[in-house]
């Protein structure tokens, strides 16, 4: 069975500081991994995805994530937080042999302090 | 512009009533999905459909029903059998990435159902 754990339901950073949102996954087969962002009362928007090519993945809005198989992690980072980054972020995993079922983590709400 | 349209955005219903949420996509995607979102629980898969006239149960299908008569439409009915229907419902569609085989989901803006 697959699962996703996002450490920290809330993360608070100052504007201009490093953003680090943690995601660990469990999968018995090679995974696809995703990060999505959700603004209040809206749907989810894809930030980036890992599909077994490069382990360092760059996404939109300056975000990137690194797939580390040995640590079963896919943490999301951004060098400098902006006020507009305040939102909820979801990590998700699916299986390479059955990619229709996407399993989501419980989400991390990012707060950006001025 | 291509996208996914969910309606209504907000819906209020009395306990015991069935309600149907609409989801339409013009992305020409083969697969469509319904997720339920509750605070602090992430998204949970209700049903998904890989092709027209076929669909599979997700992790929390009890109390819900779907149909897929057209490629672009995937309505969700929340029945009176659903014990706790108040939630935010998200529809998505996907197409298989040609290079990797991954299904990358595109989401609608959601429908918030409140049962009084």
């Amino acid at each position: 069975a697959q699962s996703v754990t996002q450490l920290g339901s809330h993360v608070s950073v100052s504007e201009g500081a490093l953003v680090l949102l943690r995601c660990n996954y469990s999968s018995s087969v090679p995974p696809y991994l995703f990060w999505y962002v959700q603004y209040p009362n809206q749907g989810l928007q894809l930030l980036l995805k890992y599909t077994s090519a490069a382990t360092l993945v760059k996404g939109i809005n300056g975000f990137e994530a690194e797939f580390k198989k040995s640590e079963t992690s896919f943490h999301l980072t951004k060098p400098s937080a902006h006020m507009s980054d305040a939102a909820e972020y979801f990590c998700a995993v699916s299986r390479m042999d059955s990619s229709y079922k996407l399993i989501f983590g419980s989400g991390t709400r990012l707060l950006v302090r001025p | 512009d291509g996208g996914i349209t969910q309606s209504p955005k907000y819906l209020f219903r009395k306990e015991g009533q069935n309600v149907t949420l609409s989801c339409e996509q013009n992305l020409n995607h083969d697969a469509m999905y319904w997720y339920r979102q509750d605070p602090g629980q992430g998204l949970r898969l209700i049903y998904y459909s890989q092709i027209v006239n076929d669909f599979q149960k997700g992790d929390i299908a009890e109390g819900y029903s779907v149909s897929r008569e057209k490629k672009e439409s995937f309505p969700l009915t929340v029945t009176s059998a659903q014990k706790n229907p108040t939630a935010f419902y998200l529809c998505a569609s996907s197409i298989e990435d040609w290079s990797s085989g991954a299904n990358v989901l595109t989401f609608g803006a959601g429908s918030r159902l409140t049962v009084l």
Side-chain angles (χ1 to χ4, degrees):
Chain A
Q2 296 172 289
S3 65
V4 175
T5 301
Q6 291 185 241
L7 293 175
S9 59
H10 292 79
V11 169
S12 180
V13 301
S14 297
E15 191 174 18
L18 171 71
V19 175
L20 171 60
L21 304 182
R22 299 178 186 274
C23 172
N24 287 88
Y25 70 92
S26 171
S27 180
S28 56
V29 298
Y32 296 124
L33 293 158
F34 306 84
W35 275 99
Y36 282 87
V37 61
Q38 184 181 35
Y39 297 97
N41 291 312
Q42 294 186 27
L44 277 67
Q45 179 183 7
L46 181 69
L47 277 177
L48 49 80
K49 63 183 186 290
Y50 166 76
T51 57
S52 81
T55 56
L56 181 62
V57 181
K58 295 188 183 299
I60 62 171
N61 301 338
F63 285 94
E64 64 181 37
E66 186 172 9
F67 171 69
K68 293 187 176 180
K69 184 178 179 180
S70 61
E71 298 177 9
T72 61
S73 69
F74 191 56
H75 302 330
L76 182 71
T77 61
K78 181 174 181 178
S80 177
H82 192 273
M83 296 298 290
S84 61
D85 294 328
E88 189 152 25
Y89 292 80
F90 292 93
C91 182
V93 62
S94 65
R95 296 166 58 116
M96 285 191 181
D97 60 346
S98 176
S99 66
Y100 290 99
K101 293 193 72 174
L102 196 60
I103 306 299
F104 284 84
S106 55
T108 297
R109 185 167 298 278
L110 177 65
L111 308 171
V112 182
R113 303 185 303 271
Chain B
D1 283 341
I4 299 175
T5 301
Q6 290 189 240
S7 62
K9 178 73 173 175
Y10 299 95
L11 184 61
F12 298 87
R13 278 295 181 267
K14 292 182 179 179
E15 202 170 315
Q17 289 183 327
N18 291 356
V19 299
T20 297
L21 307 180
S22 171
C23 178
E24 303 279 332
Q25 56 104 355
N26 60 4
L27 299 168
N28 199 33
H29 287 176
D30 291 318
M32 296 187 74
Y33 310 76
W34 275 105
Y35 282 88
R36 170 179 171 141
Q37 184 177 19
D38 296 283
Q41 295 192 45
L43 280 72
R44 292 180 289 169
L45 182 63
I46 304 173
Y47 270 97
Y48 67 104
S49 167
Q50 298 178 39
I51 56 172
V52 175
N53 292 322
D54 187 44
F55 48 82
Q56 285 78 41
K57 293 181 179 179
D59 300 317
I60 56 165
E62 185 174 350
Y64 299 98
S65 66
V66 294
S67 63
R68 187 85 186 278
E69 298 176 1
K70 299 186 297 181
K71 185 176 183 178
E72 53 275 15
S73 178
F74 192 41
L76 173 74
T77 296
V78 184
T79 76
S80 57
Q82 168 51 232
K83 299 301 180 189
N84 186 20
T86 294
F88 191 51
Y89 291 89
L90 287 159
C91 179
S93 68
S94 74
I95 193 165
E96 192 171 296
D97 180 78
W98 68 270
S99 62
S100 66
N103 270 283
V104 183
L105 273 63
T106 299
F107 283 85
S111 292
R112 186 169 297 281
L113 172 63
T114 302
V115 175
L116 306 172

